Amino acid sequence: MAESKITTIEGSVEEVVFHSEDTGFTVLELATDEELLTVVGELVQVDIGETLKVTGQFVTHPTYGSQFKAAIVERTLPATSGAILKYLSSGAIKGIGPAIARRLVDAFGDQTLEVIEKQPRRLTEIRGISPKKAEEIEEEYKRIFGIRAVMLFLSRFRIDPAASIRVWKLWGTLATDIISENPYALCCEEIGLKFEEADAISTQLGLPMDSRCRMAGAILYVLRHNTFSGGHCCLPQNKLLRATRSLLGDEELELDSLVDELVEEKSLVSDTVEGQRFLYLPQFYQAETYVAGRLAMMEQLTMNPPEDLNKDIDALEKKLGIAYAKLQRKAIETAFFQDVLILTGGPGTGKTTTLNGIITLLEQRGFKVALAAPTGRAAKRMSEVTGREAKTIHRLLEVDFQDESGKNKFKRNQKNPLPFDAVVVDEMSMVDIQLFESLIKALRLGSKLILVGDPDQLPSVGAGNVLKDLIDSDVIAVVHLSEVFRQAAESLIVTNAHAIVSGELPDLSHKDNDFFFLPQPSSDRAMATVLSLCSVRLPKAYGCSPMWDIQVISPSRVGALGTVELNRQLQQVLNPPSPQKTEFKFGSSIFREGDKVMQIRNNYDIVWSRDDGDEGMGVFNGDIGVIEMIDRPSQSILVRYDDRMAQYVFDMADELDLAYAITVHKSQGSEFESVVMPLMGYHSKLHYRNLLYTGVTRAKKRLILLGQASTVARMVQNDKKTLRYTNLKTYLIQAAGHGEG
């Protein structure tokens, strides 16, 4: 949207066009002394007749035109009898309609609202208001206008309006007392302040540095950070307390008894596994134990495969002109006598062929089958290889909204299960424990669940290592396809991928076939080679499109060969500035017509349209497109994703990133004709085996590694990154009665 100076305007609310209870987003018409303005922003509840003072800036929406985007909103009470009558008659305060509003104003005039607030007993003087009703009106008034006091209190600490709304929705009129007593409560999942920010508020409030709330807040903060950012479902108590002491700056603090108190208060869950005490946030303990219990129950519901199944498999082989390998045939059979099946295998082992066979035979027998994947691109790829519609898991579960914590709510759940006899999930390594819990809850009793993935790929961004834990438990039926088929075996990409995952150095000497290694003496030379490969060498040699057939993948966003710098330089080479191309700057990025871009988070509200006129909603994390038009007057961006055109406004550009180069993590679930992957230096936290393996297996036809052979070798040797603290494996073993794990 268009930038303008910060302005403060005041007026009365003429109409509330839209208000979301879930997010607080509001569209209203505000009458000032000069004009009627459309105001948008995050507001708790606004009613006709209220007087608002809003601070923000004028913007231009591509569809709705000029709007005032409010960053700060101050509510002022109507001051005159006429304004008060209009406000109360609107139904803003529950229990007061037009008739009673008239009686109140006739009786109390300009003092009506002051009477409601400070002398509520006087309301009983009005015909139609009983003592009980007077109490209800008083409570409703406090509820509506309590946010003014809360936002004023929070403004002292420079907490932004969006966070203030989250605070109000969580605690209401109690917010001021809660924060004054324990500012570290603001670090909770729903509000999300950093510990350092809470510390600063605590100092302003004059609380001691050794307060119980500070120490408890630090314990919970460290655990949340490791869960939401580190992928751990839990932490060993000794590790958690060591990190907490470091955060608090006191290595001698005794915290064990405080942990016991937090467990007693149910702020933490404690469980001892194999003699070690683990601490959980409650929702992650619930997720692991629920998944374990439900899967153990499904695993026990075995059945005899249909008698004529082998005949059906034979007929399918004949129809397709193929012969299933022994393990492929076993996987198909297992899908019929087990309610849960995990199908794994590296590249070239025939997972897709096997999966298609399972789906076909299930459908032949009347099963209603749903296909899903964790990302939009993975779902698209699944659709392409199966010839059937595949959805993101979020779409399958019918995502409803996000609550204050940003956690998704789904329409499909235990009370409203999915209407399918079998659900197939691809790229299962990318699925975290909370999303998997939501999926499991939405399965109806008797439904089959088929999980497809490669446990050697990178684990999920969210908490857990679900696929690996399920396989390692030996509870769930697993068919691991290990035979590399002859055609695939001829590919150096495939053979080197299998070498890497086995801890062996890939063959870097061959420079034919589909796998190439180009030694580089420095990062500068490596960058020059990347630019040359993408703009000249690969297009000339193979007829590749630099935009769509070549994808640069890097382990990191930052650094000389990180995606930020790669994108900057690739943009200059592949889509340089031109008078014919409109561009705009957003933060440190420049977006230009013709740029290759990626959607970097799920957005279910973006409207798209196809060339045939078909319309829909939703653009997903990992979707790659090209900027077709930047329209400055309307402050809008049109991005084409294959056959869909999506419209963004400028202030949504934080959802887009240049995509000439992407991280390995962002490449998961996708395949590209040609992959260029620079590898220089060595960073143990970035350079590890399954990251290299994941990057290598993104290439369909050719892979070019460039950099230092020593970096490749050390990545192959570094197999430590996959360590995540979870107990799903143990819980599953226990739930299934297979021992104590």
Side-chain angles (χ1 to χ4, degrees):
M1 289 186 181
E3 297 267 337
S4 68
K5 66 178 183 179
I6 302 297
T7 307
T8 299
I9 55 177
E10 188 169 350
S12 63
V13 179
E14 287 290 307
E15 183 183 358
V16 179
V17 180
F18 173 80
H19 175 73
S20 168
E21 288 288 342
D22 301 319
T23 65
F25 180 75
T26 303
V27 181
L28 58 85
E29 299 295 330
L30 191 73
T32 70
D33 292 339
E34 299 174 353
E35 59 184 329
L36 190 67
L37 296 174
T38 300
V39 176
V40 300
E42 291 177 317
L43 312 173
V44 171
Q45 182 179 332
V46 179
D47 294 291
I48 294 170
E50 280 195 79
T51 301
L52 301 182
K53 185 184 287 184
V54 292
T55 301
Q57 51 194 152
F58 284 97
V59 299
T60 303
H61 191 280
T63 304
Y64 303 111
S66 179
Q67 299 178 336
F68 189 86
K69 189 174 183 181
I72 300 171
V73 180
E74 299 175 63
R75 307 165 80 139
T76 59
L77 298 178
T80 66
S81 297
I84 293 170
L85 178 61
K86 183 178 181 181
Y87 173 67
L88 293 179
S89 298
S90 72
I93 298 178
K94 189 178 177 182
I96 301 178
I100 289 181
R102 169 58 66 183
R103 293 173 203 157
L104 284 166
V105 173
D106 285 348
F108 305 122
D110 295 353
Q111 305 303 307
T112 299
L113 295 180
E114 189 175 338
V115 170
I116 295 174
E117 182 179 14
K118 298 178 180 178
Q119 299 174 288
R121 290 184 181 179
R122 291 194 63 191
L123 298 180
T124 58
E125 299 172 15
I126 306 302
R127 180 166 52 88
I129 300 182
S130 65
K132 184 180 179 184
K133 189 166 185 176
E135 285 182 19
E136 290 171 352
I137 291 171
E138 179 192 10
E139 287 301 313
E140 182 70 2
Y141 183 92
K142 287 179 178 177
R143 186 188 71 80
I144 292 172
F145 288 98
I147 190 169
R148 290 191 302 149
V150 172
M151 292 191 77
L152 187 63
F153 173 75
L154 293 174
S155 67
R156 293 166 49 192
F157 311 115
R158 299 187 177 181
I159 294 176
D160 64 71
S164 297
I165 286 173
R166 294 197 297 272
V167 169
W168 171 255
K169 290 176 72 174
L170 189 62
W171 295 319
T173 56
L174 299 174
T176 301
D177 291 338
I178 290 171
I179 295 166
S180 297
E181 185 178 329
N182 179 14
Y184 301 95
L186 292 166
C187 297
C188 66
E189 184 184 352
E190 293 84 357
I191 299 166
L193 254 64
K194 294 179 179 177
F195 186 81
E196 296 78 7
E197 295 172 315
D199 243 0
I201 295 171
S202 180
T203 301
Q204 282 183 257
L205 292 169
L207 298 176
M209 294 295 284
D210 61 350
S211 65
R212 181 191 185 276
C213 69
R214 183 170 185 260
M215 291 187 288
I219 292 171
L220 293 170
Y221 182 83
V222 170
L223 186 53
R224 277 192 216 95
H225 177 75
N226 277 274
T227 299
F228 292 106
S229 299
H232 303 288
C233 290
C234 54
L235 284 180
Q237 178 168 317
N238 61 337
K239 289 184 177 289
L240 173 59
L241 296 191
R242 187 161 53 246
T244 302
R245 293 185 185 104
S246 178
L247 178 66
L248 294 170
D250 186 346
E251 302 298 333
E252 303 301 321
L253 272 175
E254 200 288 309
L255 297 171
D256 294 80
S257 58
L258 181 55
V259 166
D260 293 338
E261 291 174 20
L262 292 170
V263 171
E264 186 70 24
E265 295 166 8
K266 297 187 174 12
S267 297
L268 295 176
V269 174
S270 167
D271 195 13
T272 300
V273 178
E274 296 180 354
Q276 189 169 23
R277 191 186 195 193
F278 290 90
L279 295 169
Y280 282 86
L281 296 172
Q283 64 267 42
F284 290 95
Y285 178 77
Q286 176 193 311
E288 286 205 333
T289 52
Y290 178 86
V291 166
R294 181 68 190 276
L295 287 180
M297 183 182 72
M298 293 174 69
E299 182 267 341
Q300 292 166 10
L301 297 175
T302 59
M303 60 202 76
N304 295 321
E307 291 182 3
D308 53 352
L309 180 60
N310 280 320
K311 291 181 181 177
D312 287 351
I313 297 173
D314 293 341
L316 186 60
E317 287 181 322
K318 188 175 180 181
K319 180 182 176 182
L320 299 175
I322 62 171
Y324 290 115
K326 183 178 178 181
L327 285 173
Q328 290 180 305
R329 200 174 184 100
K330 179 184 175 184
I332 296 172
E333 292 171 353
T334 305
F336 280 88
F337 69 82
Q338 294 281 175
D339 271 0
V340 190
L341 167 67
I342 298 175
L343 178 64
T344 77
T349 57
K351 286 199 303 291
T352 299
T353 301
T354 307
L355 182 60
N356 280 332
I358 292 171
I359 296 169
T360 299
L361 292 173
L362 284 171
E363 289 175 339
Q364 280 184 13
R365 293 185 173 271
F367 282 74
K368 191 176 180 183
V369 183
L371 310 186
T375 67
R377 285 192 66 83
K380 181 187 173 187
R381 183 165 157 254
M382 193 181 189
S383 294
E384 291 169 350
V385 299
T386 63
R388 299 166 175 84
E389 183 188 16
K391 298 179 178 179
T392 65
I393 297 173
H394 290 79
R395 275 290 186 208
L396 182 72
L397 297 177
E398 298 177 29
V399 65
D400 195 10
F401 63 88
Q402 288 189 335
D403 64 15
E404 293 88 346
S405 68
K407 186 178 178 181
N408 292 300
K409 300 293 183 183
F410 300 105
K411 293 180 182 178
R412 296 292 179 178
N413 48 45
Q414 288 162 299
K415 294 181 180 178
N416 182 31
L418 292 164
F420 301 105
D421 306 303
V423 175
V424 181
V425 181
D426 198 11
E427 296 290 349
M428 186 58 203
S429 62
M430 300 172 67
V431 179
D432 63 61
I433 187 65
Q434 286 193 300
L435 182 57
F436 193 56
E437 179 194 21
S438 296
L439 177 65
I440 293 290
K441 282 182 175 178
L443 292 178
R444 67 187 184 190
L445 291 174
S447 293
K448 290 185 177 295
L449 181 64
I450 298 165
L451 309 175
V452 186
D454 186 347
D456 295 314
Q457 303 271 4
L458 291 171
S460 58
V461 174
N465 204 347
V466 178
L467 181 62
K468 185 176 185 301
D469 286 347
L470 297 185
I471 294 170
D472 290 349
S473 73
D474 285 329
V475 171
I476 307 300
V478 180
V479 178
H480 181 83
L481 303 178
S482 54
E483 180 185 345
V484 179
F485 290 94
R486 183 174 59 80
Q487 187 176 355
E490 295 172 359
S491 162
L492 281 178
I493 294 174
V494 172
T495 55
N496 281 328
H498 284 275
I500 291 166
V501 85
S502 301
E504 300 170 9
L505 189 66
D507 185 354
L508 304 180
S509 61
H510 284 80
K511 286 189 171 54
D512 56 5
N513 207 327
D514 56 1
F515 185 105
F516 306 86
F517 177 74
L518 306 179
Q520 303 294 304
S522 67
S523 295
D524 287 347
R525 285 288 298 276
M527 177 64 78
T529 303
V530 170
L531 299 179
S532 173
L533 284 166
C534 294
S535 63
V536 179
R537 293 167 63 178
L538 288 174
K540 184 178 178 181
Y542 301 102
C544 298
S545 162
M547 188 70 71
W548 301 115
D549 297 335
I550 304 170
Q551 185 60 61
V552 179
I553 296 177
S554 173
S556 171
R557 278 186 54 81
V558 299
L561 292 169
T563 58
V564 173
E565 183 61 18
L566 282 163
N567 273 316
R568 189 183 69 81
Q569 297 211 32
L570 284 163
Q571 183 188 43
Q572 284 294 109
V573 171
L574 300 178
N575 189 35
S578 164
Q580 285 75 46
K581 295 177 182 177
T582 305
E583 62 182 53
F584 82 104
K585 189 173 182 182
F586 187 90
S588 59
S589 297
I590 293 172
F591 292 99
R592 183 176 298 134
E593 289 175 346
D595 273 336
K596 184 179 181 180
V597 292
M598 172 183 278
Q599 176 76 17
I600 59 173
R601 65 176 68 102
N602 290 336
N603 187 327
Y604 297 89
D605 299 322
I606 294 180
V607 177
W608 52 258
S609 58
R610 289 196 174 96
D611 297 336
D612 61 6
D614 184 28
E615 291 188 342
M617 296 176 68
V619 182
F620 305 110
N621 184 9
D623 285 353
I624 293 177
V626 62
I627 297 177
E628 289 224 340
M629 187 174 73
I630 297 173
D631 186 47
R632 283 199 168 275
S634 67
Q635 303 292 298
S636 66
I637 313 164
L638 288 178
V639 180
R640 177 173 288 280
Y641 298 100
D642 299 318
D643 62 341
R644 298 174 298 153
M645 190 77 79
Q647 187 176 49
Y648 297 74
V649 292
F650 278 13
D651 71 347
M652 292 169 63
D654 62 341
E655 297 191 7
L656 295 172
D657 211 351
L658 293 175
Y660 301 101
I662 61 177
T663 62
V664 177
H665 282 87
K666 286 294 186 184
S667 76
Q668 279 185 274
S670 302
E671 285 188 338
F672 308 96
E673 294 290 306
S674 301
V675 168
V676 177
M677 191 173 177
L679 300 169
M680 296 286 293
Y682 182 71
H683 307 279
S684 59
K685 292 185 177 180
L686 293 174
H687 291 158
Y688 46 92
R689 185 187 300 172
N690 58 352
L691 185 138
L692 176 62
Y693 174 73
T694 301
V696 167
T697 53
R698 298 311 89 200
K700 286 169 63 176
K701 290 185 176 179
R702 61 195 64 85
L703 171 73
I704 298 93
L705 297 182
L706 59 123
Q708 297 168 324
S710 60
T711 301
V712 178
R714 294 182 73 176
M715 289 180 77
V716 171
Q717 293 162 9
N718 183 4
D719 194 29
K720 298 179 180 178
K721 178 69 180 183
T722 54
L723 174 65
R724 288 187 170 186
Y725 290 108
T726 78
N727 287 309
L728 178 59
K729 170 187 168 182
T730 300
Y731 293 150
L732 187 51
I733 292 170
Q734 292 173 350
H738 290 195
E740 295 300 314

